[in-house]
């Protein structure tokens, strides 16, 4: 529960996030990391949760980040009729 509240559970890989944005029609997608989380960060929110933080370290260390996400949604093309738009 703590990991869910801390936005870790359910996090997407950067490649998955980019793919979803591209499928939604975004271009010029950029992910700028603002913070990469270390095991010490995880230790802060997992202490007292019954999780062996040191055992989880290889799965956590430098594998989660906060980031600025930037993308451009191109303007919709104007349609001149059913024959020109597909």
């Amino acid at each position: 529960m703590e990991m869910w509240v801390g936005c870790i559970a359910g996090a997407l890989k950067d490649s998955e996030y980019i793919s979803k944005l591209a499928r939604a029609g975004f271009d010029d997608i950029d992910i700028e990391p603002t913070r990469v989380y270390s095991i010490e960060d995880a230790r802060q929110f997992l202490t007292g949760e019954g999780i062996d933080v040191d055992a989880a370290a290889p799965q956590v260390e430098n594998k989660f980040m906060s980031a600025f996400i930037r993308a451009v949604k191109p303007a919709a093309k104007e349609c001149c009729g059913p024959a020109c738009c597909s």
Side-chain angles (χ1 to χ4, degrees):
M1 181 59 81
E2 186 72 24
M3 291 179 79
W4 185 263
V5 172
C7 299
I8 299 295
L12 297 173
K13 291 182 178 181
D14 55 350
S15 58
E16 291 174 294
Y17 201 86
I18 290 169
S19 176
K20 288 178 183 292
L21 287 171
R23 281 197 310 268
F26 286 91
D27 292 329
D28 301 323
I29 301 164
D30 181 55
I31 298 178
E32 178 186 334
T34 57
R35 180 176 180 185
V36 178
Y37 292 89
S38 69
I39 189 60
E40 291 310 314
D41 296 315
R43 189 179 310 284
Q44 290 178 10
F45 62 81
L46 294 176
T47 299
E49 299 301 319
I51 297 171
D52 182 350
V53 179
D54 294 318
Q59 299 164 352
V60 175
E61 183 73 21
N62 299 319
K63 297 199 178 154
F64 296 92
M65 70 177 177
S66 298
F68 289 123
I69 310 298
R70 294 181 184 88
V72 175
K73 182 92 176 212
K77 295 179 184 176
E78 293 208 22
C79 186
C80 58
C84 71
C85 298
S86 56

